[in-house]
Amino acid sequence: MTTPFDQGEFDFDAQGTDENWKNWQRQNAERKRAFENRWGVILGKHVIITLKDFAKPSVGLLHFEERKNPQGKLEPVFRIGNVTFVADDIISIVQE
């Protein structure tokens, strides 16, 4: 099962060096890249995205949430502005 990008948790009460913080940042970046590669998206950046059944590309910051698909599996649903779509609706996506 594919899991969504999750920023994880950071233990602010942990004792030690800033190495824990650096490790968390590195692991977070790795999870984000894996999610982006899996779904063919760019998170946290302004994008220009062309979608099926839309005459013009949408421009903005890409957001996502999880929803159950008809088979009951969780999958990400993406949103730019007030346009909501799934990964299969994406024709192209480029960072602005």
Side-chain angles (χ1 to χ4, degrees), residues 32-33 36 40-50 57-62 80 90 92-96:
K32 181 181 176 214
R33 276 191 302 278
E36 290 174 328
V41 296
I42 303 168
L43 299 175
K45 309 279 187 207
H46 279 266
V47 296
I48 302 169
I49 190 165
T50 304
S58 296
V59 179
L61 191 62
L62 185 64
I80 275 193
I90 299 172
S92 72
I93 184 169
V94 293
Q95 185 174 334
E96 188 176 43

Side-chain angles (χ1 to χ4, degrees), residues 8-43:
E9 290 184 27
F10 184 77
D11 183 359
F12 289 99
D13 296 326
Q15 299 297 315
T17 67
D18 65 349
E19 197 60 33
N20 291 336
W21 170 250
K22 289 178 185 175
N23 285 338
W24 177 81
Q25 287 181 311
R26 181 183 47 75
Q27 291 169 354
N28 191 39
E30 289 171 3
R31 283 191 299 272
K32 181 181 176 214
R33 276 191 302 278
F35 180 88
E36 290 174 328
N37 289 335
R38 165 63 179 96
W39 296 103
V41 296
I42 303 168
L43 299 175

